[in-house]
Amino acid sequence: MSSTDSASVFSILRSKGVLLKENLRPTLELESGSNDPMAYMLTLILIAVIQSGGMSVPQAALMLVLQLVIGAIGGFLFGKAIVWLVNKIDIDNASLYPILILACSFFTFSVVTLAKGNGYLAVYIAGLIFGNSKIVHKRSIGTFFDGFTWLWQIVMFITLGLLVNPHELIPVTHIGLFIGVFMILVARPLSVFISLLPYRNFSWRARAYISWVGLRGAVPIIFATYPLLAGIEHAHVFFNIVFFITILSLLVQGTTVTYMARKLKLIDKPALKEEFGIELSEDIRSVMSEIDLTPAVLAHGNRLMDLKLPDHTLAVMVKREGRYFIPKGNTVLKEDDKILMISDDDKALLESYKELGVKKYTFKKNE
């Protein structure tokens, strides 16, 4: 039950148009991605202990170390190999790149698992390396896997739901409620506050929010099927308890994700929506920015040439009432126009925004 589902948390927040302060999003995503491999290993160790009639502490420790070390090394090596392969191979049909990466993910999981390593950890680390590397068609690949992830979450919940008979949940209600409430109110907050003791940059409100949004998803239910497949005694009862606790977590924590963020004053101002939807190649180090024209900005003059922009800066395109056009120096600008800027000097561009009174703008730069 230790696996959390940050994707569900951010789906709920996104549907409400809520952004979080204090760098909480990457923190929750890191936790969600890293605790799945540990939960997987603990599940396998406990199943092995039950099946063998007892596993010694040295054996369990050796298995844990091997799973972590082989999984981490395998994930790193395969991640680098996948980056090299995707950038090296030239596929005429760009839509086949996500299929290639998907095949590489299955291959990584299979090889590392056969080598007695943790396949989940390997795929996670390979994904971290791949996602933070310079690759071709990065935006289209990311869009594909975003939709692919949601598709399989839906499929998982439907499939796992078919394994449950509602009347079988009634006998486990009392123990499910006890464990669920204990995890939500005691175990989760205690583990979070202890784990975050070295990190002084998190306020008590952020720590409290992280404690509350330990939302359970499909992964604990999937792990609960392992004892079923292994033929462990009372495995069906374990599965029903895990399913009950997951539903309880979704009902209690899932429905209060936005409320708690508002109550703890952790809601950040939403970022300005990008209107042009243009991505620069990672090889281009220029900054791309979109600005909204207000009366304060137009007070400096209503023509493009009247706006004092730094050198090496271009006003590439204007959006006005749903229409896009390329401006000239004498183009007359109007209130609520949106201008796409590209500049080689990001600091000078920000200074010019201050002088012009530009308050609403986006700012994107390849590092």
Side-chain angles (χ1 to χ4, degrees):
M1 290 304 304
S2 61
S3 293
T4 54
D5 188 1
S6 66
S8 297
V9 173
F10 295 117
S11 174
I12 296 168
L13 294 174
R14 196 182 302 115
S15 67
K16 303 290 185 181
V18 174
L19 295 176
L20 296 175
K21 297 179 180 178
E22 298 196 35
N23 218 25
L24 284 175
R25 181 182 181 114
T27 303
L28 291 170
E29 287 179 335
L30 176 64
E31 181 210 8
S32 179
S34 58
N35 60 19
D36 288 353
M38 184 58 69
Y40 168 76
M41 287 186 290
L42 291 175
T43 302
L44 291 186
I45 289 173
L46 290 175
I47 289 175
V49 169
I50 294 171
Q51 286 181 326
S52 64
M55 178 186 284
S56 66
V57 174
Q59 286 177 321
L62 178 61
M63 180 180 176
L64 197 65
V65 171
L66 283 175
Q67 288 260 319
L68 286 173
V69 172
I70 297 175
I73 294 175
F76 177 80
L77 295 177
F78 277 110
K80 291 292 186 181
I82 295 170
V83 171
W84 177 85
L85 178 63
V86 170
N87 287 329
K88 196 74 174 176
I89 195 171
D90 185 15
I91 303 177
D92 292 333
N93 190 345
S95 61
L96 293 177
Y97 278 96
I99 308 301
L100 172 64
I101 297 164
L102 191 61
C104 291
S105 301
F106 285 123
F107 184 75
T108 300
F109 182 89
S110 302
V111 172
V112 172
T113 302
L114 288 172
K116 306 300 182 183
N118 190 310
Y120 292 100
L121 180 62
V123 172
Y124 178 66
I125 292 176
L128 282 177
I129 292 172
F130 185 83
N132 290 281
S133 300
K134 187 187 298 183
I135 54 173
V136 296
H137 307 295
K138 190 170 189 176
R139 187 179 185 186
S140 60
I141 291 171
T143 302
F144 171 85
F145 278 103
D146 189 37
F148 188 79
T149 301
W150 282 109
L151 170 64
W152 280 102
Q153 285 200 68
I154 295 170
V155 171
M156 280 194 300
F157 271 107
I158 292 175
T159 305
L160 295 170
L162 294 174
L163 297 174
V164 177
N165 295 316
H167 70 273
E168 293 180 353
L169 296 179
I170 297 174
V172 300
T173 300
H174 60 290
I175 188 170
L177 276 173
F178 176 78
I179 297 174
V181 171
F182 177 79
M183 291 180 66
I184 294 172
L185 298 181
V186 181
R188 169 77 181 180
L190 187 63
S191 61
V192 167
F193 273 84
I194 292 175
S195 300
L196 293 179
L197 279 176
Y199 303 97
R200 306 292 183 184
N201 54 321
F202 287 108
S203 66
W204 71 266
R205 294 195 303 272
R207 296 166 195 260
Y209 189 74
I210 294 173
S211 301
W212 182 253
V213 295
L215 197 62
R216 267 63 191 176
V219 176
I221 305 175
I222 291 174
F223 288 161
T225 63
Y226 285 22
L228 283 171
L229 296 174
I232 302 298
E233 189 179 2
H234 304 304
H236 204 73
V237 177
F238 298 155
F239 180 85
N240 290 333
I241 293 172
V242 170
F243 195 91
F244 183 90
I245 296 172
T246 301
I247 298 300
L248 179 68
S249 174
L250 290 172
L251 290 174
V252 175
Q253 295 170 298
T255 56
T256 55
V257 164
T258 306
Y259 172 78
M260 291 300 292
R262 188 175 292 111
K263 200 72 176 175
L264 292 169
K265 298 179 181 179
L266 291 170
I267 296 180
D268 204 358
K269 293 180 180 179
L272 196 64
K273 183 181 177 182
E274 293 184 357
E275 299 287 342
F276 294 90
I278 296 175
E279 291 282 338
L280 292 177
S281 168
E282 290 190 351
D283 295 324
I284 300 175
R285 297 304 178 195
S286 301
V287 64
M288 187 164 58
S289 176
E290 299 177 15
I291 66 172
D292 282 2
L293 293 186
T294 61
V297 179
L298 294 175
H300 299 272
N302 66 346
R303 294 180 302 170
L304 183 59
M305 65 176 65
D306 297 327
L307 302 182
K308 294 182 180 179
L309 299 173
D311 293 335
H312 308 292
T313 300
L314 290 176
V316 179
M317 192 170 291
V318 175
K319 180 182 179 183
R320 178 182 297 164
E321 297 177 351
R323 187 171 62 91
Y324 298 86
F325 61 90
I326 298 174
K328 299 179 181 178
N330 60 357
T331 296
V332 177
L333 303 174
K334 297 182 180 180
E335 186 178 347
D336 295 327
D337 280 356
K338 301 181 188 301
I339 304 179
L340 175 64
M341 301 282 191
I342 294 181
S343 177
D344 286 339
D345 193 340
D346 53 320
K347 293 181 180 179
L349 184 63
L350 289 174
E351 285 296 325
S352 68
Y353 283 174
K354 290 181 182 178
E355 294 175 4
L356 292 170
V358 176
K359 301 295 184 183
K360 295 181 179 180
Y361 61 89
T362 65
F363 204 76
K364 187 187 295 183
K365 182 181 180 182
N366 291 326
E367 299 296 339

